[in-house]
Amino acid sequence: MKITDILKMGHLNYSGTLDQSQNVKGITDNSNEVGSGYIFIAIKGYKEDGNLYIPQAIVNGAILIIGENDLTDLTVPYLKVKNARKALGQVAKEFYKDPSKNKIMIGITGTNGKTTIGFFVKQLLEKQGYSVSSIGTIYNEINGKRLQSVNTTPNAKIINQLLTASNDQVVVMEVSSQGLEQDRLEGIKFDYALFNNLQHDHLDYHGTMEEYFECKALLFEKLKLDGTAIINYDDSWGKKLSERLTAQEKKVIIVGEEPTNEVQILAKELDNVSVRYKNKEYNLRTPLPGVHNLDNLTMSSCVAHELGVPYEQVTPYMAQFSGIVGRFEIFDLANKVTVVVDYAHTPDALATSINAAISNGAKRVITVFGFASNRDKSKRKAMLENVCRLSTYAILTVTELFGSTIDNLYADYVSIQKECHVADKTSIIMDRTLAIQKAIGEAEAGDWVLLLGKGHEQYKENYALKTKTDQETVQYLQEQLN
C-alpha cells in the first residue's frame, strides 16, 4: 500500500513536499510498534491518549500520522480525520487487502452465550470437515494454534492481522457491544450474524438498555450483501431486531418457540432440545447442562446447518465435545460434592446457572459470587436477589476490583445485605480462595457448589491460597480431600 491510497480519507495538513508513492510497511495505533515506513493512528482511548505518543512514533520512523486533532507543526505528514478509530479499520482493511471477504465470517453477539455458541459452531463445522479459526474471549485460535486473547473483540488492526494469517475456511468471532461501539470491526464484513439475547449488563458503559441494544444491532449492518442474520426470536430484543432487519429486506432466520419460526423449538428437557425445521423434527443433545445451553446449541446448529451440517449429525458431532474452560465447567470431588466454575455475572445468567444445578439433581446449592467493583452497580440488587432466591446459601466475595478497594467493596456488600434482608442466607468472605474453601468445606454429598463470575479468568488480587484461577483453587482443595 502507498500513501496515496489513503489520502481520500481526510484532509492532509503538511507544508512540505509529500512523496505520495512511498510504500507503507506497517500500521499501528501503538507507538511502541512503529518502525520505519509505518503509519501511526493516534486514538484517544479511555485510559491513554494516542496523541501524546505522536513524537515517539515519529522518532521510531512513522511516515504518516493520522488523528482527529488540528496539528500543523509535525515533521511528517498529518492526516486529520473525523474518527480515528474508524480510520484504523479503514487503513487496516486497505493494508491487509480486505481479508474478511475471502473467509466465511460468522459473528456472534448477545449478552450471554457468545463464547459457548462460538465453541459449539467450531465443533460442528470441524466435524463436517471445515477448517475453523476463532476470535473470542478465552483465546484466539488460528491455523490450529492458540493465541492469547486480550479483549473479546480485538481492535481492527489485530482482527485484520489474524484474518490475514489464517489459512482456515471459516472464522467464528465473538462480537462485543463495546467492540462495535468503538469501531473495532470497521471494514469487517460477515456472512452470518447471530443475536442470542440481551440482558441487563454493561449499563455503566452504555447507559440504557436501548443504547446497549443499538450497539449490538451494529453487527447486522456489517453483513455482506448476501449475508444472513440468525436471531433468537424468543428474546424481546431479538424480536425487535428481526422486525427491523426484515423491514430492511435482509435475509433473516428466526429461531424460537413460535410455530411460524424457520427453526421452531418444540421442547426442552434437561440436556435435550427438540426442534422442527421444514416440517421435520430433530432431537439435539447438548454436552453442557442447562436450559441456556439448549438455546446455545439451537442457535449453533442453525448456522452450522446453513453451512451443510445435517441436523441428524448435530448430536453425534457434539458427543465428542470436550467442554469449555470456565463455562459451566464441572468438577466431581471425592466427597461426592459437585463444583461448577462458570462465568455467569448478570442477574439472568446467575439464575440460569443455579437452575441448571437444581435441574441436575443438586441436593443443596451453595453459591460463591461477587460484584465487579466500580462496574454497573444498577444490576447488583437483582444479582443478589436471584442468587438468594435460588441458592440454599451464598458467599459474597471478590470477583474483580477494577481500581476500587477491598474495603469499599466490603462496605457495599454489608449495605446491600441489609437492603435486601439476606444476612441469614449470605456471608461475606473477601478472600476469594478462602470463600471457595469454606463453601466446599461445608458442602455435603449431593450438594453443588457454584463458583460464579470469574470463569476462565485469572485472579487479579493476591489471596491466601496461592492459586491463580477458580479451577486451580478447586484442584488444590480437591487434593486436600484425597
Side-chain angles (χ1 to χ4, degrees), residues 385-420:
E385 289 175 341
N386 281 357
V387 169
C388 290
R389 175 172 52 86
L390 295 168
S391 303
T392 309
Y393 191 76
I395 301 175
L396 284 157
T397 190
V398 172
T399 297
E400 190 165 340
L401 293 176
F402 289 111
S404 185
T405 66
I406 291 281
D407 290 342
N408 286 343
L409 185 58
Y410 180 83
D412 288 346
Y413 285 162
V414 172
S415 175
I416 201 167
Q417 247 188 348
K418 292 178 180 178
E419 181 185 354
C420 295

PDB file of all heavy atoms in Angstrom, residues 385-420:
ATOM      1  N   GLU A 385     -30.589 -10.826  44.728  1.00  0.00           N
ATOM      2  CA  GLU A 385     -31.929 -11.404  44.940  1.00  0.00           C
ATOM      3  C   GLU A 385     -32.086 -12.724  44.209  1.00  0.00           C
ATOM      4  O   GLU A 385     -32.656 -13.681  44.755  1.00  0.00           O
ATOM      5  CB  GLU A 385     -32.994 -10.403  44.498  1.00  0.00           C
ATOM      6  CG  GLU A 385     -33.113  -9.207  45.437  1.00  0.00           C
ATOM      7  CD  GLU A 385     -34.081  -8.168  44.943  1.00  0.00           C
ATOM      8  OE1 GLU A 385     -34.417  -8.158  43.728  1.00  0.00           O
ATOM      9  OE2 GLU A 385     -34.519  -7.332  45.765  1.00  0.00           O
ATOM     10  N   ASN A 386     -31.587 -12.823  42.981  1.00  0.00           N
ATOM     11  CA  ASN A 386     -31.689 -14.073  42.228  1.00  0.00           C
ATOM     12  C   ASN A 386     -30.893 -15.191  42.902  1.00  0.00           C
ATOM     13  O   ASN A 386     -31.360 -16.324  43.015  1.00  0.00           O
ATOM     14  CB  ASN A 386     -31.207 -13.878  40.789  1.00  0.00           C
ATOM     15  CG  ASN A 386     -32.253 -13.215  39.918  1.00  0.00           C
ATOM     16  OD1 ASN A 386     -33.364 -12.947  40.369  1.00  0.00           O
ATOM     17  ND2 ASN A 386     -31.905 -12.939  38.674  1.00  0.00           N
ATOM     18  N   VAL A 387     -29.678 -14.861  43.337  1.00  0.00           N
ATOM     19  CA  VAL A 387     -28.842 -15.874  43.975  1.00  0.00           C
ATOM     20  C   VAL A 387     -29.480 -16.356  45.276  1.00  0.00           C
ATOM     21  O   VAL A 387     -29.552 -17.565  45.542  1.00  0.00           O
ATOM     22  CB  VAL A 387     -27.425 -15.327  44.236  1.00  0.00           C
ATOM     23  CG1 VAL A 387     -26.638 -16.275  45.140  1.00  0.00           C
ATOM     24  CG2 VAL A 387     -26.677 -15.137  42.915  1.00  0.00           C
ATOM     25  N   CYS A 388     -29.971 -15.440  46.096  1.00  0.00           N
ATOM     26  CA  CYS A 388     -30.545 -15.826  47.385  1.00  0.00           C
ATOM     27  C   CYS A 388     -31.888 -16.544  47.224  1.00  0.00           C
ATOM     28  O   CYS A 388     -32.231 -17.415  48.028  1.00  0.00           O
ATOM     29  CB  CYS A 388     -30.707 -14.598  48.276  1.00  0.00           C
ATOM     30  SG  CYS A 388     -29.123 -13.939  48.845  1.00  0.00           S
ATOM     31  N   ARG A 389     -32.633 -16.202  46.206  1.00  0.00           N
ATOM     32  CA  ARG A 389     -33.912 -16.867  45.962  1.00  0.00           C
ATOM     33  C   ARG A 389     -33.714 -18.328  45.561  1.00  0.00           C
ATOM     34  O   ARG A 389     -34.498 -19.205  45.951  1.00  0.00           O
ATOM     35  CB  ARG A 389     -34.670 -16.108  44.866  1.00  0.00           C
ATOM     36  CG  ARG A 389     -35.980 -16.759  44.412  1.00  0.00           C
ATOM     37  CD  ARG A 389     -36.736 -15.842  43.472  1.00  0.00           C
ATOM     38  NE  ARG A 389     -35.912 -15.377  42.367  1.00  0.00           N
ATOM     39  CZ  ARG A 389     -35.736 -16.055  41.235  1.00  0.00           C
ATOM     40  NH1 ARG A 389     -36.322 -17.235  41.063  1.00  0.00           N
ATOM     41  NH2 ARG A 389     -34.984 -15.553  40.260  1.00  0.00           N
ATOM     42  N   LEU A 390     -32.654 -18.602  44.831  1.00  0.00           N
ATOM     43  CA  LEU A 390     -32.478 -19.940  44.258  1.00  0.00           C
ATOM     44  C   LEU A 390     -31.473 -20.812  45.017  1.00  0.00           C
ATOM     45  O   LEU A 390     -31.557 -22.029  44.974  1.00  0.00           O
ATOM     46  CB  LEU A 390     -32.039 -19.818  42.790  1.00  0.00           C
ATOM     47  CG  LEU A 390     -33.065 -19.178  41.847  1.00  0.00           C
ATOM     48  CD1 LEU A 390     -32.432 -18.851  40.506  1.00  0.00           C
ATOM     49  CD2 LEU A 390     -34.262 -20.099  41.657  1.00  0.00           C
ATOM     50  N   SER A 391     -30.516 -20.192  45.686  1.00  0.00           N
ATOM     51  CA  SER A 391     -29.484 -20.953  46.391  1.00  0.00           C
ATOM     52  C   SER A 391     -29.922 -21.288  47.814  1.00  0.00           C
ATOM     53  O   SER A 391     -30.750 -20.600  48.414  1.00  0.00           O
ATOM     54  CB  SER A 391     -28.178 -20.151  46.470  1.00  0.00           C
ATOM     55  OG  SER A 391     -27.726 -19.780  45.197  1.00  0.00           O
ATOM     56  N   THR A 392     -29.321 -22.338  48.349  1.00  0.00           N
ATOM     57  CA  THR A 392     -29.501 -22.638  49.766  1.00  0.00           C
ATOM     58  C   THR A 392     -28.751 -21.617  50.605  1.00  0.00           C
ATOM     59  O   THR A 392     -29.227 -21.164  51.647  1.00  0.00           O
ATOM     60  CB  THR A 392     -28.967 -24.047  50.080  1.00  0.00           C
ATOM     61  OG1 THR A 392     -29.538 -24.987  49.159  1.00  0.00           O
ATOM     62  CG2 THR A 392     -29.303 -24.454  51.510  1.00  0.00           C
ATOM     63  N   TYR A 393     -27.582 -21.233  50.131  1.00  0.00           N
ATOM     64  CA  TYR A 393     -26.723 -20.307  50.857  1.00  0.00           C
ATOM     65  C   TYR A 393     -25.781 -19.662  49.850  1.00  0.00           C
ATOM     66  O   TYR A 393     -25.470 -20.241  48.804  1.00  0.00           O
ATOM     67  CB  TYR A 393     -25.917 -21.053  51.933  1.00  0.00           C
ATOM     68  CG  TYR A 393     -25.196 -20.147  52.896  1.00  0.00           C
ATOM     69  CD1 TYR A 393     -25.887 -19.488  53.903  1.00  0.00           C
ATOM     70  CD2 TYR A 393     -23.825 -19.938  52.803  1.00  0.00           C
ATOM     71  CE1 TYR A 393     -25.234 -18.642  54.792  1.00  0.00           C
ATOM     72  CE2 TYR A 393     -23.152 -19.100  53.689  1.00  0.00           C
ATOM     73  CZ  TYR A 393     -23.866 -18.455  54.679  1.00  0.00           C
ATOM     74  OH  TYR A 393     -23.220 -17.621  55.551  1.00  0.00           O
ATOM     75  N   ALA A 394     -25.318 -18.446  50.168  1.00  0.00           N
ATOM     76  CA  ALA A 394     -24.416 -17.746  49.248  1.00  0.00           C
ATOM     77  C   ALA A 394     -23.301 -17.067  50.025  1.00  0.00           C
ATOM     78  O   ALA A 394     -23.495 -16.634  51.163  1.00  0.00           O
ATOM     79  CB  ALA A 394     -25.174 -16.716  48.423  1.00  0.00           C
ATOM     80  N   ILE A 395     -22.140 -16.995  49.395  1.00  0.00           N
ATOM     81  CA  ILE A 395     -20.996 -16.286  49.962  1.00  0.00           C
ATOM     82  C   ILE A 395     -20.603 -15.175  48.997  1.00  0.00           C
ATOM     83  O   ILE A 395     -20.299 -15.437  47.821  1.00  0.00           O
ATOM     84  CB  ILE A 395     -19.797 -17.227  50.190  1.00  0.00           C
ATOM     85  CG1 ILE A 395     -20.195 -18.363  51.136  1.00  0.00           C
ATOM     86  CG2 ILE A 395     -18.607 -16.450  50.756  1.00  0.00           C
ATOM     87  CD1 ILE A 395     -19.097 -19.413  51.314  1.00  0.00           C
ATOM     88  N   LEU A 396     -20.631 -13.950  49.488  1.00  0.00           N
ATOM     89  CA  LEU A 396     -20.193 -12.807  48.693  1.00  0.00           C
ATOM     90  C   LEU A 396     -18.687 -12.659  48.817  1.00  0.00           C
ATOM     91  O   LEU A 396     -18.133 -12.703  49.915  1.00  0.00           O
ATOM     92  CB  LEU A 396     -20.873 -11.531  49.190  1.00  0.00           C
ATOM     93  CG  LEU A 396     -22.338 -11.360  48.781  1.00  0.00           C
ATOM     94  CD1 LEU A 396     -23.053 -10.417  49.733  1.00  0.00           C
ATOM     95  CD2 LEU A 396     -22.430 -10.853  47.348  1.00  0.00           C
ATOM     96  N   THR A 397     -18.023 -12.482  47.677  1.00  0.00           N
ATOM     97  CA  THR A 397     -16.565 -12.375  47.672  1.00  0.00           C
ATOM     98  C   THR A 397     -16.120 -11.461  46.541  1.00  0.00           C
ATOM     99  O   THR A 397     -16.952 -10.859  45.847  1.00  0.00           O
ATOM    100  CB  THR A 397     -15.923 -13.768  47.554  1.00  0.00           C
ATOM    101  OG1 THR A 397     -14.520 -13.661  47.787  1.00  0.00           O
ATOM    102  CG2 THR A 397     -16.169 -14.372  46.176  1.00  0.00           C
ATOM    103  N   VAL A 398     -14.837 -11.368  46.342  1.00  0.00           N
ATOM    104  CA  VAL A 398     -14.294 -10.517  45.278  1.00  0.00           C
ATOM    105  C   VAL A 398     -14.374 -11.237  43.936  1.00  0.00           C
ATOM    106  O   VAL A 398     -13.998 -12.404  43.826  1.00  0.00           O
ATOM    107  CB  VAL A 398     -12.834 -10.131  45.582  1.00  0.00           C
ATOM    108  CG1 VAL A 398     -12.206  -9.408  44.387  1.00  0.00           C
ATOM    109  CG2 VAL A 398     -12.763  -9.250  46.826  1.00  0.00           C
ATOM    110  N   THR A 399     -14.880 -10.543  42.939  1.00  0.00           N
ATOM    111  CA  THR A 399     -14.732 -11.011  41.551  1.00  0.00           C
ATOM    112  C   THR A 399     -13.570 -10.258  40.921  1.00  0.00           C
ATOM    113  O   THR A 399     -12.590 -10.843  40.510  1.00  0.00           O
ATOM    114  CB  THR A 399     -16.030 -10.797  40.758  1.00  0.00           C
ATOM    115  OG1 THR A 399     -17.060 -11.593  41.349  1.00  0.00           O
ATOM    116  CG2 THR A 399     -15.849 -11.212  39.308  1.00  0.00           C
ATOM    117  N   GLU A 400     -13.672  -8.952  40.861  1.00  0.00           N
ATOM    118  CA  GLU A 400     -12.551  -8.126  40.427  1.00  0.00           C
ATOM    119  C   GLU A 400     -12.774  -6.705  40.944  1.00  0.00           C
ATOM    120  O   GLU A 400     -13.917  -6.216  40.960  1.00  0.00           O
ATOM    121  CB  GLU A 400     -12.406  -8.130  38.907  1.00  0.00           C
ATOM    122  CG  GLU A 400     -11.128  -7.492  38.434  1.00  0.00           C
ATOM    123  CD  GLU A 400     -10.806  -7.806  36.965  1.00  0.00           C
ATOM    124  OE1 GLU A 400     -11.336  -8.792  36.433  1.00  0.00           O
ATOM    125  OE2 GLU A 400     -10.031  -7.040  36.371  1.00  0.00           O
ATOM    126  N   LEU A 401     -11.701  -6.038  41.356  1.00  0.00           N
ATOM    127  CA  LEU A 401     -11.833  -4.724  41.982  1.00  0.00           C
ATOM    128  C   LEU A 401     -11.908  -3.577  40.987  1.00  0.00           C
ATOM    129  O   LEU A 401     -12.494  -2.534  41.267  1.00  0.00           O
ATOM    130  CB  LEU A 401     -10.664  -4.487  42.953  1.00  0.00           C
ATOM    131  CG  LEU A 401     -10.660  -5.399  44.182  1.00  0.00           C
ATOM    132  CD1 LEU A 401      -9.415  -5.147  45.021  1.00  0.00           C
ATOM    133  CD2 LEU A 401     -11.911  -5.175  45.025  1.00  0.00           C
ATOM    134  N   PHE A 402     -11.299  -3.729  39.823  1.00  0.00           N
ATOM    135  CA  PHE A 402     -11.337  -2.677  38.794  1.00  0.00           C
ATOM    136  C   PHE A 402     -10.987  -1.300  39.368  1.00  0.00           C
ATOM    137  O   PHE A 402     -11.684  -0.311  39.146  1.00  0.00           O
ATOM    138  CB  PHE A 402     -12.709  -2.619  38.115  1.00  0.00           C
ATOM    139  CG  PHE A 402     -12.994  -3.784  37.218  1.00  0.00           C
ATOM    140  CD1 PHE A 402     -13.951  -4.721  37.564  1.00  0.00           C
ATOM    141  CD2 PHE A 402     -12.305  -3.948  36.028  1.00  0.00           C
ATOM    142  CE1 PHE A 402     -14.214  -5.801  36.740  1.00  0.00           C
ATOM    143  CE2 PHE A 402     -12.566  -5.019  35.193  1.00  0.00           C
ATOM    144  CZ  PHE A 402     -13.520  -5.950  35.546  1.00  0.00           C
ATOM    145  N   GLY A 403      -9.898  -1.242  40.142  1.00  0.00           N
ATOM    146  CA  GLY A 403      -9.417   0.029  40.648  1.00  0.00           C
ATOM    147  C   GLY A 403     -10.010   0.464  41.964  1.00  0.00           C
ATOM    148  O   GLY A 403      -9.566   1.462  42.547  1.00  0.00           O
ATOM    149  N   SER A 404     -11.016  -0.236  42.469  1.00  0.00           N
ATOM    150  CA  SER A 404     -11.573   0.084  43.770  1.00  0.00           C
ATOM    151  C   SER A 404     -10.736  -0.604  44.856  1.00  0.00           C
ATOM    152  O   SER A 404      -9.623  -1.050  44.601  1.00  0.00           O
ATOM    153  CB  SER A 404     -13.030  -0.365  43.846  1.00  0.00           C
ATOM    154  OG  SER A 404     -13.618   0.040  45.069  1.00  0.00           O
ATOM    155  N   THR A 405     -11.271  -0.693  46.072  1.00  0.00           N
ATOM    156  CA  THR A 405     -10.539  -1.316  47.166  1.00  0.00           C
ATOM    157  C   THR A 405     -11.385  -2.405  47.816  1.00  0.00           C
ATOM    158  O   THR A 405     -12.623  -2.407  47.704  1.00  0.00           O
ATOM    159  CB  THR A 405     -10.157  -0.284  48.241  1.00  0.00           C
ATOM    160  OG1 THR A 405     -11.358   0.203  48.857  1.00  0.00           O
ATOM    161  CG2 THR A 405      -9.383   0.876  47.627  1.00  0.00           C
ATOM    162  N   ILE A 406     -10.715  -3.303  48.516  1.00  0.00           N
ATOM    163  CA  ILE A 406     -11.401  -4.352  49.265  1.00  0.00           C
ATOM    164  C   ILE A 406     -12.370  -3.726  50.277  1.00  0.00           C
ATOM    165  O   ILE A 406     -13.515  -4.162  50.423  1.00  0.00           O
ATOM    166  CB  ILE A 406     -10.378  -5.245  50.000  1.00  0.00           C
ATOM    167  CG1 ILE A 406      -9.556  -6.079  48.993  1.00  0.00           C
ATOM    168  CG2 ILE A 406     -11.081  -6.151  51.006  1.00  0.00           C
ATOM    169  CD1 ILE A 406     -10.255  -7.293  48.443  1.00  0.00           C
ATOM    170  N   ASP A 407     -11.910  -2.685  50.956  1.00  0.00           N
ATOM    171  CA  ASP A 407     -12.740  -2.056  51.987  1.00  0.00           C
ATOM    172  C   ASP A 407     -14.009  -1.449  51.398  1.00  0.00           C
ATOM    173  O   ASP A 407     -15.096  -1.559  51.980  1.00  0.00           O
ATOM    174  CB  ASP A 407     -11.940  -0.974  52.725  1.00  0.00           C
ATOM    175  CG  ASP A 407     -10.854  -1.556  53.611  1.00  0.00           C
ATOM    176  OD1 ASP A 407     -10.926  -2.768  53.917  1.00  0.00           O
ATOM    177  OD2 ASP A 407      -9.926  -0.809  53.984  1.00  0.00           O
ATOM    178  N   ASN A 408     -13.879  -0.786  50.259  1.00  0.00           N
ATOM    179  CA  ASN A 408     -15.055  -0.190  49.615  1.00  0.00           C
ATOM    180  C   ASN A 408     -16.057  -1.255  49.184  1.00  0.00           C
ATOM    181  O   ASN A 408     -17.275  -1.094  49.363  1.00  0.00           O
ATOM    182  CB  ASN A 408     -14.639   0.640  48.403  1.00  0.00           C
ATOM    183  CG  ASN A 408     -13.990   1.951  48.792  1.00  0.00           C
ATOM    184  OD1 ASN A 408     -14.114   2.408  49.923  1.00  0.00           O
ATOM    185  ND2 ASN A 408     -13.277   2.565  47.863  1.00  0.00           N
ATOM    186  N   LEU A 409     -15.541  -2.340  48.612  1.00  0.00           N
ATOM    187  CA  LEU A 409     -16.436  -3.403  48.163  1.00  0.00           C
ATOM    188  C   LEU A 409     -17.092  -4.089  49.357  1.00  0.00           C
ATOM    189  O   LEU A 409     -18.282  -4.433  49.314  1.00  0.00           O
ATOM    190  CB  LEU A 409     -15.663  -4.416  47.312  1.00  0.00           C
ATOM    191  CG  LEU A 409     -16.504  -5.522  46.662  1.00  0.00           C
ATOM    192  CD1 LEU A 409     -17.587  -4.926  45.760  1.00  0.00           C
ATOM    193  CD2 LEU A 409     -15.627  -6.472  45.844  1.00  0.00           C
ATOM    194  N   TYR A 410     -16.331  -4.281  50.429  1.00  0.00           N
ATOM    195  CA  TYR A 410     -16.899  -4.889  51.639  1.00  0.00           C
ATOM    196  C   TYR A 410     -18.046  -4.025  52.175  1.00  0.00           C
ATOM    197  O   TYR A 410     -19.111  -4.542  52.551  1.00  0.00           O
ATOM    198  CB  TYR A 410     -15.822  -5.049  52.715  1.00  0.00           C
ATOM    199  CG  TYR A 410     -16.334  -5.670  53.995  1.00  0.00           C
ATOM    200  CD1 TYR A 410     -16.453  -7.050  54.120  1.00  0.00           C
ATOM    201  CD2 TYR A 410     -16.718  -4.871  55.065  1.00  0.00           C
ATOM    202  CE1 TYR A 410     -16.945  -7.625  55.291  1.00  0.00           C
ATOM    203  CE2 TYR A 410     -17.208  -5.429  56.246  1.00  0.00           C
ATOM    204  CZ  TYR A 410     -17.315  -6.805  56.349  1.00  0.00           C
ATOM    205  OH  TYR A 410     -17.799  -7.363  57.510  1.00  0.00           O
ATOM    206  N   ALA A 411     -17.843  -2.738  52.193  1.00  0.00           N
ATOM    207  CA  ALA A 411     -18.899  -1.825  52.656  1.00  0.00           C
ATOM    208  C   ALA A 411     -20.139  -1.932  51.772  1.00  0.00           C
ATOM    209  O   ALA A 411     -21.274  -1.891  52.264  1.00  0.00           O
ATOM    210  CB  ALA A 411     -18.376  -0.389  52.680  1.00  0.00           C
ATOM    211  N   ASP A 412     -19.926  -2.074  50.473  1.00  0.00           N
ATOM    212  CA  ASP A 412     -21.048  -2.253  49.540  1.00  0.00           C
ATOM    213  C   ASP A 412     -21.810  -3.536  49.862  1.00  0.00           C
ATOM    214  O   ASP A 412     -23.051  -3.562  49.819  1.00  0.00           O
ATOM    215  CB  ASP A 412     -20.542  -2.302  48.103  1.00  0.00           C
ATOM    216  CG  ASP A 412     -20.076  -0.950  47.584  1.00  0.00           C
ATOM    217  OD1 ASP A 412     -20.384   0.065  48.234  1.00  0.00           O
ATOM    218  OD2 ASP A 412     -19.402  -0.925  46.540  1.00  0.00           O
ATOM    219  N   TYR A 413     -21.071  -4.601  50.166  1.00  0.00           N
ATOM    220  CA  TYR A 413     -21.710  -5.884  50.482  1.00  0.00           C
ATOM    221  C   TYR A 413     -22.553  -5.784  51.754  1.00  0.00           C
ATOM    222  O   TYR A 413     -23.680  -6.284  51.805  1.00  0.00           O
ATOM    223  CB  TYR A 413     -20.655  -6.975  50.635  1.00  0.00           C
ATOM    224  CG  TYR A 413     -20.054  -7.462  49.334  1.00  0.00           C
ATOM    225  CD1 TYR A 413     -18.851  -8.161  49.321  1.00  0.00           C
ATOM    226  CD2 TYR A 413     -20.689  -7.234  48.121  1.00  0.00           C
ATOM    227  CE1 TYR A 413     -18.297  -8.617  48.140  1.00  0.00           C
ATOM    228  CE2 TYR A 413     -20.141  -7.682  46.937  1.00  0.00           C
ATOM    229  CZ  TYR A 413     -18.938  -8.375  46.943  1.00  0.00           C
ATOM    230  OH  TYR A 413     -18.390  -8.823  45.767  1.00  0.00           O
ATOM    231  N   VAL A 414     -22.008  -5.166  52.781  1.00  0.00           N
ATOM    232  CA  VAL A 414     -22.748  -5.009  54.035  1.00  0.00           C
ATOM    233  C   VAL A 414     -24.028  -4.205  53.797  1.00  0.00           C
ATOM    234  O   VAL A 414     -25.112  -4.547  54.295  1.00  0.00           O
ATOM    235  CB  VAL A 414     -21.869  -4.325  55.100  1.00  0.00           C
ATOM    236  CG1 VAL A 414     -22.696  -3.974  56.334  1.00  0.00           C
ATOM    237  CG2 VAL A 414     -20.695  -5.227  55.487  1.00  0.00           C
ATOM    238  N   SER A 415     -23.910  -3.160  52.993  1.00  0.00           N
ATOM    239  CA  SER A 415     -25.055  -2.300  52.708  1.00  0.00           C
ATOM    240  C   SER A 415     -26.147  -3.036  51.944  1.00  0.00           C
ATOM    241  O   SER A 415     -27.334  -2.965  52.297  1.00  0.00           O
ATOM    242  CB  SER A 415     -24.589  -1.069  51.923  1.00  0.00           C
ATOM    243  OG  SER A 415     -25.686  -0.276  51.541  1.00  0.00           O
ATOM    244  N   ILE A 416     -25.769  -3.766  50.915  1.00  0.00           N
ATOM    245  CA  ILE A 416     -26.781  -4.438  50.093  1.00  0.00           C
ATOM    246  C   ILE A 416     -27.356  -5.656  50.809  1.00  0.00           C
ATOM    247  O   ILE A 416     -28.512  -6.027  50.591  1.00  0.00           O
ATOM    248  CB  ILE A 416     -26.206  -4.806  48.712  1.00  0.00           C
ATOM    249  CG1 ILE A 416     -27.349  -5.014  47.704  1.00  0.00           C
ATOM    250  CG2 ILE A 416     -25.301  -6.041  48.792  1.00  0.00           C
ATOM    251  CD1 ILE A 416     -26.889  -5.080  46.266  1.00  0.00           C
ATOM    252  N   GLN A 417     -26.578  -6.268  51.700  1.00  0.00           N
ATOM    253  CA  GLN A 417     -27.091  -7.342  52.553  1.00  0.00           C
ATOM    254  C   GLN A 417     -28.282  -6.838  53.367  1.00  0.00           C
ATOM    255  O   GLN A 417     -29.318  -7.495  53.444  1.00  0.00           O
ATOM    256  CB  GLN A 417     -25.996  -7.802  53.520  1.00  0.00           C
ATOM    257  CG  GLN A 417     -25.484  -9.203  53.306  1.00  0.00           C
ATOM    258  CD  GLN A 417     -24.557  -9.618  54.440  1.00  0.00           C
ATOM    259  OE1 GLN A 417     -24.116  -8.824  55.259  1.00  0.00           O
ATOM    260  NE2 GLN A 417     -24.244 -10.895  54.485  1.00  0.00           N
ATOM    261  N   LYS A 418     -28.102  -5.668  53.963  1.00  0.00           N
ATOM    262  CA  LYS A 418     -29.166  -5.082  54.780  1.00  0.00           C
ATOM    263  C   LYS A 418     -30.344  -4.657  53.920  1.00  0.00           C
ATOM    264  O   LYS A 418     -31.515  -4.875  54.274  1.00  0.00           O
ATOM    265  CB  LYS A 418     -28.618  -3.882  55.548  1.00  0.00           C
ATOM    266  CG  LYS A 418     -27.593  -4.242  56.619  1.00  0.00           C
ATOM    267  CD  LYS A 418     -27.055  -2.990  57.306  1.00  0.00           C
ATOM    268  CE  LYS A 418     -26.018  -3.349  58.372  1.00  0.00           C
ATOM    269  NZ  LYS A 418     -25.439  -2.140  59.016  1.00  0.00           N
ATOM    270  N   GLU A 419     -30.048  -4.053  52.787  1.00  0.00           N
ATOM    271  CA  GLU A 419     -31.114  -3.574  51.902  1.00  0.00           C
ATOM    272  C   GLU A 419     -32.011  -4.714  51.430  1.00  0.00           C
ATOM    273  O   GLU A 419     -33.233  -4.567  51.338  1.00  0.00           O
ATOM    274  CB  GLU A 419     -30.508  -2.851  50.691  1.00  0.00           C
ATOM    275  CG  GLU A 419     -31.529  -2.299  49.721  1.00  0.00           C
ATOM    276  CD  GLU A 419     -30.907  -1.689  48.479  1.00  0.00           C
ATOM    277  OE1 GLU A 419     -29.655  -1.596  48.413  1.00  0.00           O
ATOM    278  OE2 GLU A 419     -31.663  -1.296  47.568  1.00  0.00           O
ATOM    279  N   CYS A 420     -31.392  -5.855  51.107  1.00  0.00           N
ATOM    280  CA  CYS A 420     -32.145  -6.990  50.575  1.00  0.00           C
ATOM    281  C   CYS A 420     -32.604  -7.965  51.665  1.00  0.00           C
ATOM    282  O   CYS A 420     -33.266  -8.963  51.351  1.00  0.00           O
ATOM    283  CB  CYS A 420     -31.295  -7.729  49.539  1.00  0.00           C
ATOM    284  SG  CYS A 420     -30.921  -6.762  48.067  1.00  0.00           S
TER     285      CYS A 420
END
